[in-house]
Amino acid sequence: MKQTRAIVITGNGTNCEMEAAHACRLGGFDEAVIAHIAEILSGEIRLDDFHFLNLTGGFLDGDDLGSAKAQANRLKNAQVTGGNEKLVDQFTRFIDDGKLILGVCNGFQLMVKMGMLPGLDGKYLNQTVTLTHNDCGRFQDRWTYLKVDPASPSIFTKGINKGIYLPVRHGEGKFLCDSGATLDRLEAGHLPVLRYSDAGYAQSTMEFPANPNGSTNAIAALCDPTGRLMGLMPHPEAFVHYTQHPRWTRENLPEEGDGLTLYKNAAEYARVNLV
Amino acid sequence: MANRIEAALRDGVRDARGERIKREIEHFLHLPVERVATIDVYTVDADLTGSELKQAAAGPFSDPVIQVWSIDRPLAGGFDFAVEVGFRAGVTDNVGRTAREAVAYLTGRPFTAGDGVYYSVQYLLKGSLSVADVEKIATGLLCNTLIQRYSILSAADFVAKGGFPAIAPKVSGETKAEVREIDLEVSDEELMRISKDGVLALTLDEMKIIQGHYRDPEVLADRQKFGLGAKPTDVELECLAQTWSEHCKHKIFSGTVQYEDEKGNKQEIKSLFKSFIQRTTKDVRERMGEKDFCLSVFKDNAGVIKFNEQHSLVFKVETHNSPSALDPYGGALTGIVGVNRDPFGTGIGSKLIFNTDVFCFADPFYTKPLPSRLLHPRRIFEGVVEGVEHGGNKSGIPTVNGSLVFDDRFAGKPLVFCGTAGLMPAVVNGQPSHEKSIKPGDLIVMTGGRIGKDGIHGATFSSEELNENSPVTAVQIGDPITQKRMFDFLIRARDKGLYRFITDNGAGGLSSSIGEMAGECGGCRMDLAKAPLKYPGLNPWEILISEAQERMSLAVPPEQIEEFLAMAVRFGVEATVLGEFTDNGVFHMLYGEQTVALLPMEFMHEGLPPMQLPAKWTPPHNDEPVLEQKENYNDDLKKLLAALNICSKESVVRRYDHEVQGGSVVKPFTGVANDGPSDAAVVRPLLDSFEGVVTAHGICPRFSDIDTYHMTANAVDEALRNYVAVGGSLDLVAGLDNFCWCDPVLSDKTPDGAYKMAQLVRSNQALYDVCMDYNLPLISGKDSMKNDFYDGTTKISIPPTLLFSVIGKIEDARKAVTMDVKRPGDIVYLLGRTADELGGSEYLALSGAIGNKVPHVDTVKAYQRYQAYHKAVNKRIVASCHDLSDGGLAVAAAESAFAGGFGMDLDHSRVLWKGDAAGKSDCTLLFSESASRHLVTVHPEKQDEFEAVMNGNCFASIGVVTEGQNLSITGLNGDVVVKADLSELKEAWQLTLREL
């Protein structure tokens, strides 16, 4: 296997599969496959054949039981046809194999509700944090400045200088921990990769609308201690070209958008470490 | 015995939903509440073990980080009143459906028939409230009693009774499969009683045509062969009522109109649709010749045009007004997911690329009394906005363009326009994708949701017919996820060539979709007993006409059926074979072995003679207000910026995902602080290409108070000038018309029908005239003709309203232009002439006046100017461009300036004038809404080039962009007539709807 391969899972209300696959290709993956969950459950497509798993934005099951709850339950309990394993076993093996997972928005919600993030002590099926209703009580589509933690182990944000500018589009993005102890461990490990901040990326902020949801410590993104699993509420795949920027008609912007960095880093990591 | 699983937030976790309800109670109902807390309740009516219940509660039904759960033990505490709200029996319960699915994954066992999970929300109110107050909160805010049920317990009762009982709102009913025969050999009065009591909405003439059909000996002989008697079955009568309804048949647009104009000239118009709308497209296409880009117009669920050699664009705009008046949330949600099915069911099926929404409401701050059956405009506003938000966002389709229009007459009926565009490969499996056919022998397949009593007889029901055990019959609630699953499956089935024909199940349900499909090949035979039902107890006629949502109808060749059905199972989508298409000319319905309807296709589709409609145009004469000339118009400008039709709609727009799918180029908001109002949307549907789709719209119902001819001309012009402003190409742009009228059929209830009909004729005349001059083919549209409220005493008719939408192309989206000024020193141009045309303007509306001087569109000059401007866009010499509409030059200048964060100095003496100089004043120059104008800024180094490109057109340099933070306008006599700080202007513009 010499090709770097990304997979984007869709189905049951996932929405951003097309642009996520596009971002993977632009970022340098040799192949980006959009796989419907039905094709994975039927055994036609196996996660083992890929290096980078994208859990993208959307409204899995309509957010009906709280965002991503029903899908977390489905992934944990659903059986893959023609084998003796559950889907969750493929996920666990994917993580054990040292591969990459990026959860965006609804995908981030899914990762925390399955317990894949923060993945403390190597426990990837243990929920300790959550994402819930925005303090403003409403869905918000607006662009946010995200200050990066340069000491974060995330492999996705390597090389980002101060921060990145990306849109959020969610109703349930408020990050909460089950305890102060968990939060302390996250902070000590530099796992909160990105925080909502001012336009100069100087200070993180709790002020609406710069912080659109009221997240604890302004946390917008989280990675596991290995840095190979990351989730974020803002949409990196929505800013890979300057025409996606809300002010591109008035600012001189480089060709590539801020979000593309995450996919380029993933592709580079996969090429060096996984093929 | 059902079990209650409750999930409540842990102490210290903020209850955003509760806080929002608290705010709304204070805001809408002016009742003091200290605190509102909420609890999720799942009533599980299924055979689960205790440990399975615990697994469900601790797993999918709660979030361990923020919630606690309980089984059959109330969690509520610290409240004065508890209100629990759940759905009535049979109403779509999306959360309950997902919960049920989650439990099945957990246990590994499917649910048995009749078992279910039902969702409700408990609201815990703390505060000094009376029982009557809580009743008001329940019915006025928390619960729409048409579709939901509620119960209230005081804290003391709650303790005494141990909380709310576990009640599963199951539909009780048995399979009846009853078919009645209706005797039509009765008096005229009795015929009308049958029509009225049966909610058939058939006129006496139509009933007599049906009566005549059943007297035909040949018909009777055919019926005898299939065991049917001489009387129509209820299935047949209901089917004809649907097929011949105004909604499906567009009888007014296809009727024969006797029109008389103000000079007494008489004209007979055979079908407004054919004479104006279809003719527009035909004539424009003929003139375009080889450049014609239309692929499929008027014959499918949506119009299809060429996008490039490889892809075709599909577009449709629909209305869902009556359902939104009754249940704003469900009605609007169904509106958006319903219109999604139109492009999806066009040609062989298209991928959906964006939505557009336009809502017309009465003032949300309305304080006058309303007829008791009407919901308050604010509640309609909230519900509609949220319904479309959920429908659009959850479906993963960006909402890229829209409007909110306010007029108090929309209290009678709100207008909810929802549009969806799609993109499909020009060729699929070797066939042009916009064409489709059916062969006799193809199987009738229905996919998606199940059939219930939803939407039977649409909006004509009354609430008295409802009770706890009878499912709601008229209101539907959309389920975007079931639909999304179906689309995910069908688009893959399309690419594998597994079906030959696809269409939507909308109004009229199967009777309409299969009826139309059968017209393609000449007949069908369908067994209604095979249709999957949500619950037992539906009669065959109900199965046939139910408008239950999320369903598509397909024709699948027999050799593909196995693969089609197997794939559906894998994708978790229900697909059922209901029968087959034939060519025997008969619409043949069975229920098991028994024939329940036998209707000749020709009679169904061609049996109805055209309506006869009188129309007489008498121009209205409104009082002509005398304009007060002022020294300073700062206050007027601020008032205008704060007016409902002009103010910022950002609080609503931010709730709609306008960027999903990644192709957003010109967003709804733009400028230095991302908050200036864009004129139109630009989207790249293909991420590896810079070709863009441009969409825009025009709507100006206020002008109907003067003349619908000019209302229409201005709406079409507004749509095109918005489209042109951002850089849309005039070589590839098409229009869609959505007429929303008040009833124009002369009758006792509508004594002014001839006038309203004349308004409709004039609107159509303008549509033809303007579209011809603008080279705009009409590719699709819809009419909704009964937008009145009448309770026997009060009648509220909406102003005649045309929503005109355009869709087209920008060759290179990187050349798109936004409305925000870009830098100081740029030259400000006004393209187009201004006239004394304040009639129907927002400015006159400030003082409650209408006037008579409605803007006239000079289409020939405007089109030339639009073409020249587009050349400038292509040369990248335009820095910004904003269209002038509501509020005229003053409002457009203020918006462009504060969006860009730079001031503007303008000079009235440099503005080009049209017509009588007597009407020229600072007031008319500032606020006149003359058509076809743009405010453009250009960098000084591009000045010569811009002026050369625009040469020969009406345009003038009227000022400059400044470093300062003021909008300054010099009046005709040299004095400054507007000088206002940008932040003040912006604040006025943003404040009105900020908190909504």
Side-chain angles (χ1 to χ4, degrees), chain B residues 387-404:
Chain B
V388 176
E389 173 195 328
H390 286 176
N393 290 356
K394 290 185 179 183
S395 303
I397 303 163
T399 300
V400 300
N401 187 246
S403 273
L404 289 167

Side-chain angles (χ1 to χ4, degrees), chain B residues 246-530:
Chain B
E246 174 56 40
H247 193 108
C248 295
K249 193 84 184 171
H250 308 286
K251 289 182 280 199
I252 293 171
F253 260 88
S254 52
T256 300
V257 186
Q258 305 297 336
Y259 175 65
E260 184 182 334
D261 70 12
E262 72 272 29
K263 295 180 190 127
N265 299 318
K266 291 180 183 171
Q267 186 188 358
E268 182 180 85
I269 303 163
K270 285 189 172 156
S271 172
L272 287 171
F273 176 66
K274 285 186 181 148
S275 308
F276 294 104
I277 298 175
Q278 253 184 349
R279 186 163 63 101
T280 301
T281 307
K282 186 171 155 285
D283 291 356
V284 171
R285 290 182 72 178
E286 265 174 30
R287 201 168 54 197
M288 286 195 293
E290 285 186 352
K291 288 185 173 171
D292 177 19
F293 49 82
C294 297
L295 295 174
S296 169
V297 290
F298 302 121
K299 61 182 184 190
D300 211 328
N301 291 308
V304 187
I305 58 173
K306 183 174 156 177
F307 180 59
N308 58 24
E309 292 305 321
Q310 291 81 37
H311 291 90
S312 306
L313 268 179
V314 188
F315 196 25
K316 177 63 173 269
V317 181
E318 271 276 10
T319 47
H320 223 227
N321 308 333
S322 303
S324 302
L326 297 170
D327 171 25
Y329 175 82
L333 172 58
T334 307
I336 189 70
V337 295
V339 76
N340 287 168
R341 290 194 301 274
D342 281 322
F344 198 90
T346 294
I348 203 71
S350 70
K351 178 183 172 297
L352 309 180
I353 57 169
F354 65 74
N355 289 332
T356 61
D357 306 312
V358 174
F359 308 142
C360 301
F361 299 136
D363 184 346
F365 308 108
Y366 196 85
T367 49
K368 286 168 271 181
L370 281 166
S372 64
R373 297 264 322 269
L374 293 179
L375 294 175
H376 190 273
R378 174 90 177 234
R379 211 163 157 202
I380 293 181
F381 180 109
E382 289 285 331
V384 167
V385 167
E386 183 160 272
V388 176
E389 173 195 328
H390 286 176
N393 290 356
K394 290 185 179 183
S395 303
I397 303 163
T399 300
V400 300
N401 187 246
S403 273
L404 289 167
V405 179
F406 296 94
D407 185 302
D408 282 349
R409 285 168 285 180
F410 292 121
K413 199 163 286 179
L415 303 184
V416 176
F417 298 92
C418 295
T420 304
L423 188 80
M424 57 190 179
V427 174
V428 173
N429 296 314
Q431 301 293 324
S433 59
H434 58 275
E435 290 172 3
K436 53 190 169 185
S437 63
I438 296 177
K439 290 189 177 159
D442 284 353
L443 299 170
I444 301 172
V445 176
M446 185 184 95
T447 63
R450 294 184 149 226
I451 296 177
K453 296 197 178 190
D454 331 28
I456 286 175
H457 291 151
T460 47
F461 77 115
S462 66
S463 56
E464 287 77 25
E465 292 169 30
L466 305 172
N467 62 61
E468 190 65 27
N469 293 317
S470 75
V472 172
T473 57
V475 178
Q476 316 140 28
I477 297 185
D479 174 4
I481 297 306
T482 296
Q483 181 152 303
K484 172 105 180 157
R485 273 187 196 165
M486 172 172 69
F487 286 175
D488 281 348
F489 155 60
L490 287 175
I491 205 98
R492 287 165 172 82
R494 174 196 79 178
D495 294 341
K496 286 177 183 248
L498 296 184
Y499 59 80
R500 212 178 332 251
F501 195 104
I502 183 168
T503 198
D504 154 44
N505 270 296
L510 288 172
S511 74
S512 172
S513 70
I514 304 301
E516 282 170 24
M517 286 171 83
E520 293 283 322
C521 62
C524 70
R525 185 164 45 239
M526 178 161 80
D527 181 359
L528 297 169
K530 290 191 172 143

Side-chain angles (χ1 to χ4, degrees), chain B residues 698-718 739-741 759 763 766 799-803 854-855 857:
Chain B
I699 183 168
C700 25
R702 285 171 293 113
F703 296 150
S704 290
D705 291 333
I706 302 173
D707 187 344
T708 50
Y709 184 93
H710 297 292
M711 178 277 284
T712 301
N714 277 284
V716 176
D717 181 66
E718 185 183 15
F739 286 87
C740 280
W741 234 249
Q759 287 185 304
S763 176
T801 303
L802 173 77
L803 170 67
V854 66
V857 183

Side-chain angles (χ1 to χ4, degrees), chain B residues 766-829:
Chain B
L767 191 66
Y768 179 83
D769 295 348
V770 178
C771 289
M772 278 304 286
D773 286 349
Y774 281 173
N775 265 321
L776 266 173
L778 302 167
I779 56 167
S780 185
K782 198 70 190 273
D783 58 275
S784 164
M785 306 305 292
K786 309 270 174 172
N787 293 291
D788 312 84
F789 171 80
Y790 187 56
D791 64 1
T793 51
T794 308
K795 180 160 185 172
I796 308 175
S797 294
I798 65 152
T801 303
L802 173 77
L803 170 67
F804 195 80
S805 308
V806 293
I807 185 167
K809 188 173 178 183
I810 180 168
E811 287 297 335
D812 185 345
R814 292 169 295 188
K815 292 181 177 174
V817 175
T818 54
M819 52 71 67
D820 48 317
V821 301
K822 299 299 187 296
R823 68 180 189 202
D826 284 0
I827 300 158
V828 181
Y829 292 95

Side-chain angles (χ1 to χ4, degrees), chain B residues 765-984:
Chain B
Q765 289 170 335
L767 191 66
Y768 179 83
D769 295 348
V770 178
C771 289
M772 278 304 286
D773 286 349
Y774 281 173
N775 265 321
L776 266 173
L778 302 167
I779 56 167
S780 185
K782 198 70 190 273
D783 58 275
S784 164
M785 306 305 292
K786 309 270 174 172
N787 293 291
D788 312 84
F789 171 80
Y790 187 56
D791 64 1
T793 51
T794 308
K795 180 160 185 172
I796 308 175
S797 294
I798 65 152
T801 303
L802 173 77
L803 170 67
F804 195 80
S805 308
V806 293
I807 185 167
K809 188 173 178 183
I810 180 168
E811 287 297 335
D812 185 345
R814 292 169 295 188
K815 292 181 177 174
V817 175
T818 54
M819 52 71 67
D820 48 317
V821 301
K822 299 299 187 296
R823 68 180 189 202
D826 284 0
I827 300 158
V828 181
Y829 292 95
L830 181 57
L831 316 189
R833 288 179 179 271
T834 304
D836 178 11
E837 293 178 322
L838 279 170
S841 67
E842 281 293 319
Y843 184 73
L844 291 191
L846 284 181
S847 53
I850 298 168
N852 301 288
K853 297 171 189 167
V854 66
H856 288 221
V857 183
D858 183 342
T859 48
V860 175
K861 282 192 176 164
Y863 193 64
Q864 265 181 26
R865 196 162 59 241
Y866 294 167
Q867 284 176 310
Y869 167 80
H870 186 67
K871 277 189 198 143
V873 170
N874 271 333
K875 288 172 175 283
R876 298 182 190 251
I877 52 177
V878 176
S880 78
C881 178
H882 193 19
D883 102 297
L884 273 67
S885 57
D886 295 3
L889 173 62
V891 164
E895 288 176 346
S896 290
F898 63 60
F902 296 112
M904 213 185 250
D905 278 354
L906 305 180
D907 184 350
H908 272 166
S909 67
R910 292 155 70 181
V911 174
L912 297 183
W913 186 257
K914 177 176 74 176
D916 189 358
K920 187 172 177 180
S921 69
D922 288 322
C923 183
T924 46
L925 285 164
L926 286 169
F927 304 121
S928 174
E929 297 182 8
S930 297
S932 318
R933 295 177 301 161
H934 290 107
L935 192 69
V936 167
T937 64
V938 174
H939 296 324
E941 64 267 31
K942 307 284 187 194
Q943 176 177 7
D944 293 346
E945 206 179 340
F946 181 76
E947 291 183 2
V949 170
M950 295 302 297
N951 189 28
N953 290 286
C954 305
F955 75 105
S957 143
I958 63 162
V960 66
V961 178
T962 63
E963 189 84 53
Q965 291 293 309
N966 283 302
L967 173 65
S968 173
I969 302 176
T970 304
L972 289 169
N973 69 358
D975 295 337
V976 171
V977 290
V978 170
K979 182 153 185 145
D981 189 81
L982 291 187
S983 60
E984 280 176 38

Side-chain angles (χ1 to χ4, degrees), chain A residues 19 64 69 130 141 249-250, chain B residues 62-63 98 659 661 818 820:
Chain A
E19 58 268 39
D64 283 343
K69 286 290 292 178
T130 199
D141 179 337
T249 59
R250 58 184 300 121
Chain B
S62 69
D63 182 330
T98 302
E659 299 179 272
Q661 300 191 10
T818 54
D820 48 317

